[in-house]
Amino acid sequence: MARTSAYQLQIGTDSDDANARILLADGALVAVLVELSDEGHGEDRGKWTIEATFGLRHERVPDIFPSLESAADWVSEHICEQRFNLGADVVRLA
Amino acid sequence: MTNPSTAKLAPEPLGGENPLIKKLGRYVPLTEEERAALNTLSCSTRKHNQGADLIAEGDRPECVFLMMEGWAFRYKQLEDGSRQIMAYLIPGDLCDIQIFLFDKMDHSIGLLSDAKVVKIPSGDLLKMMDRYPRIERALLWATLVDEATLREWLLNVGQRSALQRLAHLFCELCVRLSVVGLVDDDETFALPLTQAELADTTGMTAVHVNRSLQRLRRDKLISTQRGKLTILNFDRLAEVAGFDESYLHTDGPPVEQKLRSRLDRHM
């Protein structure tokens, strides 16, 4: 089983989508998740996207997830087979 | 057969004229007889609805499709539903004039909007090309331009940045649509594409397309309104994209350019 951890940080996307989480499994970065905050996203505002994945082999990554938890669950299911704790343990990097 | 150097050229295209004639007329100056032949070829249009496939991968191609109104697209799809769009077909475009040489389609052609399409039996097209060698040359020219466009799209997806991919696509569409008279004076044209379709064309996610469109809008390069796109500053957009329209060869073959200028002098 992978040891997972999550960090909160700001990300530069050339838009107002700045609130991000990076997910690590056994100390290695596996995914970057970003909240869709820019008003250009219309009704998708507040939902989350998986901006980047590392180590994913086959799957097509869905574009948009209804919540941070559902995006992280997708990463668990397809990359590291271990759930992420996204609550109080998340370390703020910025 | 009419000798093109002595034949009377038909008047300049009027609005609403057959887009195939407008397009081929850019490649070769067409005589009235040639225009009439092209009009006959494209007279029986049929309406099709957005979302329908004109022909699907695996089907046997028995005719050539000519777009008279609306947009179509070529695409291939993976088992997981991922799709790559390889071309947009706009009014005046023919889908593969020699496709009948294949026994099965290796890709699908679907409709991005409601459309009017002519199904031309391959035999009719071959007969026309035999009878009118200059039309044949213009059609082969159009085919070569389609291939050049595909090369440019490959370069787009493989090497250009997200912003450049969209900027390049919009510049190209503006040039192609203006050939068939579908761009307004203020460089506004109908763009019947969703962000998901733009994503499948440019190899980006829909989220990334959305952000890039926002950037182009913020930089006052484009504006969008209900299915229409306006290029606010073509030169700057082309500069961002690294767009050079020479691959679209809109001036026609050198021999025809010479003929055209000779005819212009005598008219």
Side-chain angles (χ1 to χ4, degrees), chain A residues 13-15 17 34-36 38-42 49 51 58-60 63-64, chain B residues 80-83 163 195 199-200 204-208 210-211 214-215 217-218:
Chain A
T13 60
D14 190 31
S15 74
D17 300 343
V34 180
E35 184 179 6
L36 301 178
D38 197 291
E39 65 177 27
H41 294 300
T49 188
E51 192 76 24
H58 302 299
E59 291 290 320
R60 169 185 166 87
D63 241 14
I64 294 174
Chain B
D80 68 3
S82 315
R83 180 177 71 167
L163 203 66
Q195 292 190 3
D200 290 346
M204 293 152 64
T205 65
V207 168
H208 214 167
N210 184 305
R211 288 187 196 135
Q214 292 277 91
R215 165 53 63 192
R217 285 191 202 105
R218 275 200 304 274

Side-chain angles (χ1 to χ4, degrees), chain B residues 57 72-77 83-89 106-108 146-147 149-154 157 169 172 176 197 200-202:
Chain B
E57 187 171 343
F73 68 126
R74 292 179 200 280
Y75 69 96
K76 282 185 89 119
Q77 204 151 11
R83 180 177 71 167
Q84 183 67 42
I85 295 177
M86 282 100 178
Y88 297 139
L89 300 160
D106 57 40
H107 64 281
S108 306
D146 289 347
E147 288 170 11
T149 304
L150 185 60
R151 286 192 288 274
E152 199 65 34
W153 279 34
L154 204 53
V157 169
L169 187 64
E172 176 190 301
R176 287 172 59 192
E197 284 155 354
D200 290 346
T201 303
T202 53

Side-chain angles (χ1 to χ4, degrees), chain B residues 203-228:
Chain B
M204 293 152 64
T205 65
V207 168
H208 214 167
V209 165
N210 184 305
R211 288 187 196 135
S212 302
L213 287 173
Q214 292 277 91
R215 165 53 63 192
L216 292 172
R217 285 191 202 105
R218 275 200 304 274
D219 290 348
K220 303 208 167 10
L221 295 171
I222 63 162
S223 66
T224 51
Q225 55 281 311
R226 242 190 254 177
K228 287 190 164 194

Side-chain angles (χ1 to χ4, degrees), chain A residues 6-9 19-23 31-34 48 68 86 90:
Chain A
Y7 297 88
Q8 179 176 358
L9 75 170
N19 178 25
R21 302 287 183 282
I22 55 173
L23 306 183
V32 179
L33 276 44
V34 180
W48 285 71
L68 169 61
L86 298 164
V90 171

